Amino acid sequence: MSTSSDTASKPVLSEQIESAYARIGVTSAHIGIVAMILFGVFFDAIEQNTVGIAGPLLSADWGIGGAQLGLLNTATFTAVALGRVLAGIVMDRIGRRTLLGANLLVFAIGSLMCALAPTYEVLVAARFLVGLGLGGEIATAVIMLSEFFSAKHRGTAVGLINVAAAGLGNMLAPLFGVIVFAAFSGDDAWRWLFGLLVLPALAVVVYRRALPETPRYLAARGRVAEANTVINRLAQRRLRGSLGDEVEYLDASTSADAPPARPARWTELFSVRYRRTTFSLGVAVCMSYAAQISMLTLIPLILTDRGFDITSALWYTLVMQSGSLVGALTAALVARRLPRKLTLTAAAVLGIGAGLGFGFLGSTVALVLLFGALFNFSVIVLNTTIWLFAPEQYPTRIRGLGTSVILALGSLSGGLFPLAAGAVLDAAGVGGMFALLAGLFAICAIAVQFPRETVGRPMVEDD
């Protein structure tokens, strides 16, 4: 028969993990884990930009228009949404580590299919496969880093994902396009854009062999000894090889009589306890992703339609994407001190101003670049902070599923909304499209007021 101490066991064990993390601090083993995760998401981010970068060449080679380009991103990000939900279900059952290698393998196969696609229809199917891998990769990365660090360092660690992805990845993706198109000329140079991303993806799969499972997941599954070993690896700065004498950071007896962890059920996300969080962050991330992916998809087309050649358009896109890098760095740095809601609200308000400025005041190249950079800065601060905020709302048992569902909603919105944004662009011009995107930021600013504040607090567990 269970006792009151049984129900307290999991919170006690989670407090032991938090105490151990605080005692250890950040070691070279932590840095190795971060590097293994960030290399993968960096190339994921470049892949997410490839449709926009290749758009003008695809249009010239196959004679497709904006709607068909939008469908390629719709296929990609619809699959990203599905991949994130599937990853959330799987990672809460079999662990976080196993998924990372599988996700990148799926991504690599899809990229190769894109490069070899004989028809537009095959390319759409290949983009769907790429999206499955992308979705699982980012969702798993967010959970893993959130579970490897203490409350003091968690915000910065998770924020670094978007430094690598939305910051460096988005900013350098146009440069990658410039290099590829300089090396491989012709209308079908877009094939090399997709194909060359296969090699780094496979390299990262090999590189990640030393990545351990997270102690929080191991402890939640009753594998306390294994969790303690991983913590010792962090403390002794040895992800591989034999360890010295192990310190007993975790007391297995605190959970010896605890009942097995209940399996995660998606209906719990909409229970009285979690539905406010799920709905509000779901709305917020839908608005943020819709704005971001619309910008990524359509800005090269907007610039080439204004008379810039593909190389100039990509260079200007790179300058605007510098705002993404600054935004990701800013979000990672302020996460240690500023409340999540304050950060999200400020970023949304700035996004409203940047969207309206781009749409109605961007009469010169300098202003276009300025407002474009501010727009990207705002949206990446939003995304980075939501990536951090969401895992802090759910206990370990359903953290993967809850976070993945929220991020999946964003991906679905990002996949579908560029179709609407493209239609508004055709009907009402650049001003109308960016007014629409500014409205998304306004809705986001309202939605982020409803979840509970979590800055500086330990990650929650079941009562």
Side-chain angles (χ1 to χ4, degrees), residues 8 60 66 82 89 129 139 144 192 223 246 259 268 271 285 305 313 323 334 350 389 392 422 437 439 443:
L82 178 59
I89 294 171
L129 188 60
M144 288 199 78
W192 290 100
R223 296 155 63 181
E246 292 193 26
E268 289 185 75
S271 65
V285 80
D305 283 347
V334 303
L350 181 60
F389 204 20
E392 294 175 332
L437 300 187
I443 297 172

Side-chain angles (χ1 to χ4, degrees), residues 226-239:
E226 293 177 61
N228 194 72
T229 297
V230 174
I231 295 175
N232 273 275
R233 288 196 174 278
L234 298 176
Q236 297 183 31
R237 300 171 170 83
R238 295 181 62 86
L239 291 179

Side-chain angles (χ1 to χ4, degrees), residues 6 8 16 22 27 29 33 39 53 66 71 83 112 121 136 182 185 220 232 249 301 320 369 386 411 413 426:
D6 291 332
Q16 291 178 25
T27 71
I33 290 170
F39 273 120
I53 294 170
L71 182 59
L112 183 61
E121 291 74 19
S185 59
N232 273 275
Y249 292 102
L301 192 61
M320 285 186 274
L369 296 180
I386 290 171
S411 299
S413 175
D426 292 339

Side-chain angles (χ1 to χ4, degrees), residues 205-238:
V205 171
V206 177
Y207 177 47
R208 284 178 172 170
R209 288 180 299 171
L211 190 66
E213 183 56 86
T214 73
R216 290 188 184 277
Y217 174 80
L218 292 170
R221 306 298 290 185
R223 296 155 63 181
V224 180
E226 293 177 61
N228 194 72
T229 297
V230 174
I231 295 175
N232 273 275
R233 288 196 174 278
L234 298 176
Q236 297 183 31
R237 300 171 170 83
R238 295 181 62 86

Side-chain angles (χ1 to χ4, degrees), residues 123-326:
L123 184 58
V124 171
R127 294 305 300 170
F128 188 87
L129 188 60
V130 166
L132 287 177
L134 289 175
E137 173 80 6
I138 294 293
T140 310
V142 168
I143 296 300
M144 288 199 78
L145 285 189
S146 70
E147 292 185 348
F148 266 120
F149 288 84
S150 66
K152 179 180 180 181
H153 301 291
R154 187 188 312 127
T156 300
V158 176
L160 288 175
I161 296 176
N162 243 1
V163 173
L168 288 171
N170 282 352
M171 188 180 77
L172 296 180
L175 178 60
F176 176 68
V178 169
I179 294 171
V180 170
F181 295 154
F184 304 97
S185 59
D187 289 340
D188 65 348
W190 59 268
R191 295 184 182 277
W192 290 100
L193 189 73
F194 294 116
L196 289 175
L197 288 173
V198 175
L199 296 179
L202 295 177
V204 171
V205 171
V206 177
Y207 177 47
R208 284 178 172 170
R209 288 180 299 171
L211 190 66
E213 183 56 86
T214 73
R216 290 188 184 277
Y217 174 80
L218 292 170
R221 306 298 290 185
R223 296 155 63 181
V224 180
E226 293 177 61
N228 194 72
T229 297
V230 174
I231 295 175
N232 273 275
R233 288 196 174 278
L234 298 176
Q236 297 183 31
R237 300 171 170 83
R238 295 181 62 86
L239 291 179
R240 306 182 76 170
S242 60
L243 290 172
D245 293 337
E246 292 193 26
V247 175
E248 189 177 345
Y249 292 102
L250 307 181
D251 182 3
S253 65
T254 59
S255 61
D257 298 323
R262 289 177 288 130
R265 301 190 307 274
W266 69 267
T267 52
E268 289 185 75
L269 305 180
F270 304 97
S271 65
V272 172
R273 184 176 180 184
Y274 299 116
R275 66 189 176 199
R276 184 174 71 173
T277 291
T278 303
F279 280 120
S280 56
L281 285 183
V283 169
V285 80
C286 282
M287 300 302 102
S288 180
Y289 270 54
Q292 179 191 17
I293 305 305
S294 295
M295 179 77 162
L296 290 177
T297 303
L298 297 173
I299 197 63
L301 192 61
I302 290 172
L303 293 176
T304 53
D305 283 347
R306 289 187 172 184
F308 297 103
D309 59 52
I310 181 63
T311 300
S312 297
L314 291 178
W315 277 115
Y316 286 143
T317 302
L318 185 152
V319 173
M320 285 186 274
Q321 286 290 6
S322 66
S324 298
L325 177 59
V326 177

Side-chain angles (χ1 to χ4, degrees), residues 14-31:
S14 71
E15 290 167 7
Q16 291 178 25
I17 295 174
E18 187 71 24
S19 176
Y21 283 171
R23 176 178 170 186
I24 292 169
V26 177
T27 71
S28 58
H30 283 97
I31 295 172

Side-chain angles (χ1 to χ4, degrees), residues 342-408:
L342 175 61
T343 303
L344 291 166
T345 303
V349 171
L350 181 60
I352 294 171
L356 294 176
F358 193 106
F360 298 101
L361 300 177
S363 56
T364 66
V365 171
L367 288 174
V368 166
L369 296 180
L370 172 63
F371 288 120
L374 287 175
F375 186 99
N376 286 324
F377 173 88
S378 302
V379 80
I380 296 308
V381 171
L382 285 171
N383 285 349
T384 304
T385 307
I386 290 171
W387 285 11
L388 167 62
F389 204 20
E392 294 175 332
Q393 302 289 328
Y394 301 101
T396 301
R397 183 177 54 80
I398 61 169
R399 184 173 297 127
L401 179 60
T403 303
S404 297
V405 165
I406 287 173
L407 297 186

